[in-house]
Amino acid sequence: MAIERTFSMIKPDATQRNLTGKITAKLEEAGLRVVASKRVWMSRQQAEGFYAVHKDRPFFGELVETMTAGPTVVQVLEGEGAILKNREVMGATNPANADAGTIRKEFALSIGENSVHGSDAPETAAQEIAYWFSGIELVG
Ligand code: ATP
Ligand code: MG
């Protein structure tokens, strides 16, 4: 499988509970390498832009509120099959459905406060990385 890069976010519900290190450790233990990382408190405009694909969904307002409620850690992860691997380590969107050992099973509070985001395909990974990082911020 090819080496890929994916975009990951540690959401405000997790940064506020001081889980940045524990979540990053799970990503690293799965063989993913953090090649870029920064802490940002996103504005409403940034959150609406990032989640524009969901703008017509009934939970969009709640999603923007949740994502702007505190600081977020945005990261780029690199590794073999990184996009799928990250989704596996994250677990299902709703923590009630997440497998044992996944980040969302261990740490998420609810479907809205589900601790992490990860890109779902190569195209979205490229778009999401470019949304938050410039090329010189990616350091393998
Ligand atoms: P993410 O895109 O954050 O990695 P995902 O791909 O597992 O998560 P999506 O369907 O893309 O899930 O939804 C994006 C985010 O919107 C979810 O992570 C969750 O925080 C929120 N969300 C999704 N469905 C609901 C819902 N029914 N009620 C509240 N929030 C929701
Ligand atoms: Mg998604």
Side-chain angles (χ1 to χ4, degrees):
M1 198 179 280
I3 298 286
E4 291 176 334
R5 284 180 170 173
T6 191
F7 176 74
S8 167
M9 216 157 53
I10 302 173
K11 296 183 176 184
D13 74 86
T15 64
Q16 286 173 330
R17 288 178 290 143
N18 216 17
L19 293 170
T20 299
K22 285 197 170 121
I23 289 174
T24 303
K26 281 213 169 266
L27 300 170
E28 291 179 339
E29 282 160 14
L32 296 163
R33 178 177 298 275
V34 179
V35 297
S37 184
K38 61 189 173 188
R39 191 170 171 99
V40 297
W41 192 320
M42 66 176 77
S43 66
R44 170 165 289 273
Q45 191 182 24
Q46 287 171 330
E48 288 174 350
F50 181 74
Y51 278 118
V53 65
H54 294 309
K55 67 180 189 320
D56 297 325
R57 307 283 286 275
F59 57 82
F60 185 66
E62 178 188 334
L63 180 59
V64 171
E65 288 300 320
T66 305
M67 295 308 300
T68 56
T72 291
V73 176
V74 291
Q75 297 179 319
V76 179
L77 308 177
E78 184 179 88
E80 295 251 334
I83 297 166
L84 189 59
K85 187 174 282 182
N86 183 38
R87 299 283 298 183
E88 286 170 1
V89 181
M90 288 164 57
T93 309
N94 185 343
N97 302 328
D99 289 338
T102 61
I103 291 169
R104 283 168 166 167
K105 186 66 174 186
E106 287 195 17
F107 303 121
L109 300 173
S110 64
I111 191 168
E113 293 186 306
N114 61 358
S115 302
V116 282
H117 161 87
S119 306
D120 56 14
E123 300 73 31
T124 46
Q127 283 167 14
E128 292 174 0
I129 290 169
Y131 192 85
W132 292 108
F133 292 97
S134 66
I136 57 166
E137 291 178 293
L138 310 183
V139 182

